[in-house]
Amino acid sequence: MGTAVRSSGGGRKRNLPQNQKSKLTRIAPPDELMSDIAIRIWKTQSKILIERGVFDLEDAPLLLAYCNAFHLMVEAEKVIAKDGLTVSSEIGGEKKHPAVNVRNDSVSQLARLGSLLGLDPLSRIRMTSGKNDPDDEGNEFDEFD
């Protein structure tokens, strides 16, 4: 009975050890990053995640997408600052500038990917607090984790 296999519905997963370390100590920015801005974000965010002990090689594609989404958001904001929020439509009226949609999509991607990586405040609290949460009383199945 000493196995650590969990069946579906088998209670909460054990929380990660507080002193967990990533297998990585550093990871070079991949060539697929779209700009120097994306590279800077890669360097800062990968360092933060590695120091927290929550970043491994399999997380790199998520961080790559996060960094490129940040790049797209910044580029779209530059276009919006230069051109404004609207453009003239083919029929003569005003319509939302396409860069606004790019910016909004990028912000959504940043929120989604950041949450998966633990880069937003709620995910960070969830990842670091665990059983230290005084309101978490657990349940009767915790002994079976």
Side-chain angles (χ1 to χ4, degrees), residues 64-77:
L64 171 69
Y66 179 89
C67 296
N68 283 336
F70 188 87
H71 158 83
L72 292 172
M73 180 193 70
V74 169
E75 290 300 311
E77 288 179 345

Side-chain angles (χ1 to χ4, degrees), residues 54-105:
V54 295
F55 188 73
D56 288 306
L57 192 56
E58 59 265 30
D59 303 316
L62 288 175
L63 185 58
L64 171 69
Y66 179 89
C67 296
N68 283 336
F70 188 87
H71 158 83
L72 292 172
M73 180 193 70
V74 169
E75 290 300 311
E77 288 179 345
K78 288 178 186 176
V79 171
I80 293 166
K82 182 174 121 312
D83 297 346
L85 293 171
T86 59
V87 293
S88 296
S89 71
E90 301 80 36
I91 57 173
E94 292 288 308
K95 68 178 186 176
K96 183 169 37 171
H97 196 294
V100 174
N101 292 332
V102 172
R103 185 211 175 272
N104 292 343
D105 290 346

